[in-house]
Amino acid sequence: MQRLTGRDMWDVEECQSPRMGSVILGVDGGASNTVCVCIPAAMPFNDPLPVLSRTVAGCSNHNSVGEDRARETLERVMSQALLKARRRRSNVCAVCLAVAGVNHPVDQQRMLDWLRDIFPSHVKLFVENDAVAALASGTMGKLHGCVLIAGTGTIAYGFTSDGREARAAGAGPVLGDWGSGYGISAQALTAVVRAYDGRGPETVLTNNILDFLGLASPDELIGWTYEDQSWARIADLLPVVVESAESGDEVANKILHNSVGELASSVKAVVQRLDLGGEDGKHPFPLVMVGKVLEANKKWDIGKEVIDCVTKNYPGAYPIHPKVEPAVGAALLAWNAIASELDGDIRTVQ
């Protein structure tokens, strides 16, 4: 089957989709995958929230895969979401693109200009870092509090009720996203190499990682690592590190303990800069926890350890584990931003 690219994707959408009700697109683009959801503009806040369609593609972080490939991925998920929802671009009233790698107003403006070439002039467009959508997924679209993402990469991001914002980490693996799935896995690989050449202690990580990858010797790790340096591929070793730690391996446990400290430091840096906890740290604020690193395992629960570390200094922090995914959070951000502008017959459920 021929793979459609660029405007060909939208040609299919225009030919095959009937004209129906207004919708909002929410996109969450991370280092591992990209998710787009299509929700109705006339949206009742029920549980679960109504999602007309959901599509998934690969990485859309331009720092990881390049701008052309990132944009192709984003176009693909948006066009497919509209096609699955039986909608056209003319049905879209707002799009919120929340993508890793959007770290500067220049990045935002470049993405906004690109989106404007795709969608009709009436469509409201919003571009944010993916952390903003993750926060919104836990606060139902309200920007207040702090979010910690720890998946392939990691970032802490916070907002005050008056619109001030701050972030910590999120600079990518070269500049030290320690505590992320990539950071944990990269340290594990380093530990295996150090143990092999005598610079570090023996560790069960050696056999566990080699078995997981189907390799015979630590020598082969060098070739495996550098044949494809994608962040997500390295981060896939995370479960092996956790399993090794849970079996009692000191090296693996040290790596995970260090990751807890790094992640908690990111959160505390954001909370301190924004004074979210007040003078005594007891002022309540949401701490939204998102990402595979923060999910509980049999014995190790990195997320709980991070929360315990943060609440020692900021007892007002109350953790939230979102019931909806960040792509829905992105859609809710757009919905909240335009709700006052929508006509009553769009916002009211018929």
Side-chain angles (χ1 to χ4, degrees), residues 29-255:
S32 296
N33 57 38
T34 303
V35 178
C36 179
V37 297
C38 179
I39 66 172
M43 187 180 61
F45 279 83
N46 295 333
D47 187 10
L49 289 167
V51 175
L52 300 175
S53 65
R54 178 181 186 273
T55 52
V56 183
C59 173
S60 55
N61 184 335
H62 66 90
N63 291 326
S64 178
V65 299
E67 196 157 298
D68 290 343
R69 186 173 166 189
R71 289 183 175 184
E72 180 183 337
T73 297
L74 292 167
E75 284 201 70
R76 184 172 300 281
V77 291
M78 290 189 293
S79 62
Q80 290 178 347
L82 285 175
L83 188 61
K84 287 177 68 175
R86 296 173 60 80
R87 299 300 200 277
R88 300 182 178 187
R89 278 173 290 175
S90 56
N91 297 125
V92 178
C93 58
V95 177
C96 181
L97 204 61
V99 186
V102 174
N103 300 315
H104 191 275
V106 173
D107 299 325
Q108 286 182 304
Q109 191 58 54
R110 187 168 63 247
M111 296 298 287
L112 285 168
D113 292 342
W114 170 69
L115 284 173
R116 181 50 65 206
D117 288 339
I118 295 174
F119 289 96
S121 58
H122 73 273
V123 180
K124 302 292 185 181
L125 303 175
F126 307 91
V127 174
E128 301 285 356
N129 185 276
D130 62 330
V132 180
L135 175 60
S137 72
T139 60
M140 298 304 289
K142 306 295 184 181
L143 290 183
H144 173 254
C146 183
V147 62
L148 173 65
I149 298 179
T152 297
T154 183
I155 187 172
Y157 214 114
F159 282 86
T160 61
S161 56
D162 61 0
R164 291 181 296 117
E165 60 187 272
R167 57 175 285 172
V174 175
L175 297 177
D177 269 356
W178 306 126
S180 68
Y182 177 95
I184 291 170
S185 300
Q187 289 181 72
L189 289 171
T190 300
V192 171
V193 173
R194 288 175 60 85
Y196 182 63
D197 63 20
R199 289 177 296 142
E202 294 297 317
T203 169
V204 301
L205 285 167
T206 299
N207 288 334
N208 289 350
I209 289 178
L210 292 178
D211 288 346
F212 182 80
L213 298 177
L215 302 178
S217 166
D219 285 330
E220 298 178 26
L221 277 178
I222 299 173
W224 178 87
T225 300
Y226 292 109
E227 71 181 4
D228 178 0
Q229 298 181 54
S230 67
W231 306 343
R233 178 172 172 265
I234 302 295
D236 284 342
L237 295 174
L238 173 66
V240 182
V241 185
V242 174
E243 178 186 345
S244 301
E246 291 182 334
S247 72
D249 184 71
E250 291 186 8
V251 174
N253 272 289
K254 183 177 180 180
I255 292 171

